[in-house]
Amino acid sequence: MEGLLIFLLLGIIVGVSAGYNLLRKRMELANLNRKLEMLHKNNNAYHVLKNVKLTNQEITIHSLVFSVYGIFVIQPEHRMGVIEGDVGAEQWLVKRNKQQNKFPNPLIKAKKKARALAEVISLNEKHVHEIVTFTKAATLSLEKEQFKNEHVVHEEQIIDTIQAWKTPQLSKQTVANMLEKLQTNSK
């Protein structure tokens, strides 16, 4: 009977922990979404789409920002601890509380999504930009020289990162056409 009670107690602890992590992740996604919505509200040159499913590719993109400055694929990551990785490595590492865990390279995931999006909306890939965001619970320990052409930032930097592109590359009509084409694809 005592073993069953311990087992039940451990189950409750694991369940509460999993629930907390899910709640934390949802709150972090909501915070990122609020930042992106503020970008749209403050400057209607940006159009924000969330949870876009590319049906031909069976890919879901968490957030997309369309503008005359380019299309931005946002890849959010929810990791706590010190993040280490190389641009081309298959796996990155998160260190926390003397533990190390590997996770798939988010840049590779973001680039795959960007290529699929470019194909769906018939756009040259040079106009699609990938941005990987980490929450402030992560400490980015990435070699600056290696990441100088990549955009791996804390979510607080997302607006500045997007607005760093200042030269229009696409017409407003092209952006409107791509948005329409993407909505047709997502149905």
Side-chain angles (χ1 to χ4, degrees):
M1 187 67 167
E2 192 174 303
L4 181 61
L5 186 59
I6 291 172
F7 183 73
L8 183 61
L9 185 58
L10 286 174
I12 290 171
I13 291 170
V14 168
V16 167
S17 177
Y20 168 76
N21 285 334
L22 181 62
L23 180 62
R24 183 180 56 82
K25 182 177 178 180
R26 285 188 180 170
M27 288 174 51
E28 290 166 353
L29 285 174
N31 189 37
L32 177 61
N33 287 337
R34 273 193 301 278
K35 285 178 179 13
L36 292 173
E37 287 300 324
M38 291 303 294
L39 175 68
H40 173 70
K41 287 179 183 174
N42 291 340
N43 184 344
N44 65 8
Y46 297 95
H47 305 278
V48 178
L49 301 177
K50 294 177 268 186
N51 297 319
V52 176
K53 292 181 182 7
L54 303 179
T55 54
N56 297 351
Q57 310 286 337
E58 295 185 14
I59 290 176
T60 300
I61 300 173
H62 176 270
S63 297
L64 282 173
V65 177
F66 280 75
S67 74
V68 296
Y69 309 106
I71 313 305
F72 303 91
V73 174
I74 314 299
Q75 175 67 40
E77 289 292 325
H78 309 282
R79 310 283 174 183
M80 296 173 65
V82 177
I83 308 299
E84 296 178 353
D86 293 329
V87 169
E90 290 291 321
Q91 301 280 315
W92 282 12
L93 194 64
V94 59
K95 296 178 180 179
R96 182 172 177 236
N97 299 333
K98 298 182 182 181
Q99 292 183 346
Q100 297 183 25
N101 295 303
K102 292 181 179 181
F103 64 99
N105 181 338
L107 280 172
I108 292 173
K109 290 193 312 189
K111 287 178 188 302
K112 179 181 177 185
K113 291 176 181 184
R115 278 191 302 275
L117 175 67
E119 183 180 313
V120 167
I121 60 176
S122 303
L123 183 66
N124 186 319
E125 286 182 41
K126 73 179 184 178
H127 299 299
V128 182
H129 313 288
E130 309 87 19
I131 303 173
V132 175
T133 64
F134 282 89
T135 62
K136 59 185 168 187
T139 301
L140 302 177
S141 181
L142 306 171
E143 190 179 312
K144 289 187 192 289
E145 185 62 28
Q146 193 181 122
F147 284 82
K148 68 181 178 186
N149 295 322
E150 305 298 337
H151 303 282
V152 180
V153 299
H154 282 104
E155 69 180 31
E156 293 82 24
Q157 300 166 298
I158 189 68
I159 301 301
D160 291 338
T161 302
I162 291 171
Q163 291 180 332
W165 277 273
K166 298 187 183 299
T167 305
Q169 300 176 11
L170 307 166
S171 71
K172 288 182 180 182
Q173 187 58 50
T174 301
V175 171
N177 292 345
M178 287 185 299
L179 284 166
E180 185 177 323
K181 188 170 189 173
L182 188 59
Q183 289 172 343
T184 302
N185 173 269
S186 298
K187 291 179 182 176

